[in-house]
Amino acid sequence: MSQHYDVAAIRRAFPAAEHVVYLDSGFQTPLSRPVKEAYERFLREGFETAGPKQIWLNRLEETRAKVAALLGAQPHEIAFTKNTSESMNIAANALPLRAGDKVLMIHGDHPNNAYAFLNLAKKGVEVAFIPMTDVVNADSFRSHIDERTRAISMSHVTFHAGHRFDVESVGQLCEQHGLYFVVDVMQGIGVTPIDAKAMKATFIGSGTHKGLLVPQGLGLLYWDATRVELEPAYLAAASLAEPPLDFIARPDNMALPATAGRFELGNFNLPAIQGLDAAIDLINAVGIGNVEAHCFDLGDYLIERLDQLDVGLVGPRDRQHRAPHIYVVALPATEWLDYFTQNGIRVSPERDGIRVSLGMFNTTADIDRLIEAIRARNVPSTQARTAVLSKLG
Ligand SMILES: Cc1ncc(COP(=O)(O)O)c(C=O)c1O
């Protein structure tokens, strides 16, 4: 049950949720019927008519507008990419960074973000990591900014412990110090509202195979279109303001458009984009605020049940600092992952435990199944464990 929307109806759109206790949307979404139908339409059109490319491209522009609305941005600020990593690399290489410049990041943040910037060492750009704590905000970065600092790059939500960092305050700090700000929203998008303008982000990167409900292989890039000085490292005809209609490249007309299309290369992942269109319609029909509220409620319920079992939670507990849908249970993955799998519960191994990640189709019954599985293994309480360990010691 949910007080926010008809979860039972939504669950019927995700048949996989009936076959397994699916608590792994932070890894990959199960497919929903509307997304499957969008792929099927694409296949049918390709199969029967060899592909109405222009119709597909027209639809792509409609999807671009929906992505923009989801991020509080304008359609011309959105580019389609391959995944988060590609978006972060496009961003890192578009920033006008030179030898001696410094980029601040958070230690232990997602490697697909970190390597995009670490790779700039080739240009003499330095990455300095600040420590990861349960709360990361402007104050966490402030004392690390010096005259060489040019940019900050960070995740909005962490994949490994469900922190939701205060990106708005960091964006404000970047504006005050004239720094570029690059944000990886892969873990939060589709589950928690994202406002590119409130974040004051220069670039935002994401994939679409978690909260945005489509299969792997499609990414998104938001670019603050006032930053016209930021140019792509790679170029294709599609990146130009005036691609040559006769398909003969002319070095004297390589002007870039005033749109994020400057960061796009060649043909698109059209089936995934059509899937994304259907997925955003589904998210909008439920309401992103309702998805967030529902996941928060399930998270509160999970925390309460874990407390009753005296099993710890890794990462922040309060709603202000945690993501609605990512919870890491302090049970060693080496001991617990196979057990959950054998019991029909799909979760992910993480650095400090077992990650439980929620989607719009989950219910308290899913949490109950997880809790019952933990209880069935008869976890000793912390006190009992401590007593056992002290005897052993
Ligand atoms: C924060 C974050 N960034 C990026 C990724 C994935 O990167 P990509 O979309 O390039 O596979 C993930 C998880 O897969 C993630 O949690």
Side-chain angles (χ1 to χ4, degrees), residues 26-28 82-89 109-113 154-160 184-188 205-210 216-219 326 350 355:
F27 172 66
Q28 171 191 320
K82 184 176 142 200
N83 49 37
T84 323
S85 307
E86 188 176 60
S87 298
M88 302 318 280
N89 273 276
D109 204 341
H110 200 284
N112 286 354
N113 182 13
M154 64 187 288
S155 290
H156 173 220
V157 165
T158 65
F159 68 102
H160 60 89
D184 170 352
V185 299
M186 178 57 187
Q187 276 297 351
S206 182
T208 57
H209 64 271
K210 303 180 198 279
Q216 289 87 345
L218 175 64
I326 296 180
E350 267 313 334
R355 184 180 68 190

Side-chain angles (χ1 to χ4, degrees), residues 230-246:
L230 303 180
E231 299 192 345
Y234 295 118
L235 205 65
S239 332
L240 299 176
E242 294 173 20
L245 296 177
D246 58 2

Side-chain angles (χ1 to χ4, degrees), residues 358-379:
L358 307 170
M360 58 165 77
F361 52 83
N362 284 120
T363 62
T364 50
D366 295 326
I367 307 289
D368 288 339
R369 285 277 304 273
L370 175 86
I371 294 293
E372 286 318 313
I374 298 173
R375 194 201 301 279
R377 230 181 173 198
N378 200 16
V379 186

Side-chain angles (χ1 to χ4, degrees), residues 63-366:
T63 313
R64 194 194 298 277
K66 290 181 189 178
V67 171
L70 195 69
L71 294 177
Q74 296 298 316
H76 70 278
E77 295 179 302
I78 303 298
F80 290 106
T81 65
K82 184 176 142 200
N83 49 37
T84 323
S85 307
E86 188 176 60
S87 298
M88 302 318 280
N89 273 276
I90 290 171
N93 287 284
L95 300 183
L97 302 176
R98 291 192 299 260
D101 288 347
K102 197 156 87 177
V103 178
L104 298 180
M105 301 193 76
I106 305 170
H107 175 78
D109 204 341
H110 200 284
N112 286 354
N113 182 13
Y115 284 122
F117 287 90
L118 286 169
N119 194 34
L120 300 181
K122 284 190 263 191
K123 286 202 221 170
V125 175
E126 183 195 332
V127 174
F129 290 103
I130 70 159
M132 181 169 310
T133 45
D134 270 2
V135 178
V136 171
N137 56 24
D139 290 338
S140 320
F141 283 100
R142 202 181 309 276
S143 63
H144 298 269
I145 296 174
D146 61 25
E147 69 290 347
R148 292 198 293 122
T149 311
R150 297 281 172 270
I152 293 178
S153 182
M154 64 187 288
S155 290
H156 173 220
V157 165
T158 65
F159 68 102
H160 60 89
H163 310 86
R164 182 165 49 165
F165 293 138
D166 183 0
V167 282
E168 284 81 10
S169 80
V170 181
Q172 186 86 31
L173 181 77
C174 287
E175 187 176 69
Q176 283 160 8
H177 289 265
L179 309 181
Y180 294 109
F181 187 36
V182 183
V183 189
D184 170 352
V185 299
M186 178 57 187
Q187 276 297 351
I189 195 165
V191 183
T192 190
I194 288 165
D195 183 338
K197 301 298 169 189
M199 282 184 191
K200 297 182 185 296
T202 315
F203 283 110
I204 293 175
S206 182
T208 57
H209 64 271
K210 303 180 198 279
L212 287 183
L213 313 177
V214 295
Q216 289 87 345
L218 175 64
L220 304 172
L221 179 73
Y222 158 85
W223 162 66
D224 172 357
T226 64
R227 302 288 203 156
V228 285
E229 79 277 16
L230 303 180
E231 299 192 345
Y234 295 118
L235 205 65
S239 332
L240 299 176
E242 294 173 20
L245 296 177
D246 58 2
F247 280 78
I248 298 174
R250 291 193 182 76
D252 57 350
N253 189 7
M254 288 171 47
L256 294 170
T259 71
R262 61 173 60 193
F263 299 109
E264 289 178 336
L265 291 164
N267 278 289
F268 297 93
N269 185 346
L270 290 169
I273 291 171
Q274 299 200 24
L276 177 62
D277 197 87
I280 296 178
D281 285 350
L282 178 61
I283 292 166
N284 288 340
V286 174
I288 184 99
N290 289 327
V291 178
E292 178 179 57
H294 175 64
C295 289
F296 264 136
D297 289 352
L298 290 181
D300 288 344
Y301 182 65
L302 171 66
I303 293 172
E304 187 190 313
R305 303 285 323 262
L306 289 173
D307 285 350
Q308 286 163 3
L309 286 186
D310 199 15
V311 172
L313 181 81
V314 178
R317 293 171 71 93
D318 61 298
R319 285 189 177 203
Q320 195 194 343
H321 298 119
R322 74 179 214 240
H325 57 307
I326 296 180
Y327 300 91
V328 176
V329 183
L331 297 172
T334 44
E335 292 168 30
W336 284 84
L337 186 66
D338 289 348
Y339 170 75
F340 285 127
T341 308
Q342 283 152 17
N343 283 278
I345 301 173
R346 187 77 182 262
V347 287
S348 268
E350 267 313 334
R351 292 176 193 169
D352 301 307
I354 291 288
R355 184 180 68 190
V356 173
S357 52
L358 307 170
M360 58 165 77
F361 52 83
N362 284 120
T363 62
T364 50
D366 295 326

Side-chain angles (χ1 to χ4, degrees), residues 29-56:
T29 182
L31 283 194
S32 64
R33 292 184 196 283
V35 173
K36 177 171 175 270
E37 280 158 19
Y39 270 79
E40 282 169 351
R41 177 172 72 161
F42 179 88
L43 291 178
R44 205 167 47 245
E45 289 169 341
F47 198 63
E48 291 171 2
T49 70
K53 188 170 175 185
Q54 194 51 50
I55 293 176
W56 289 340

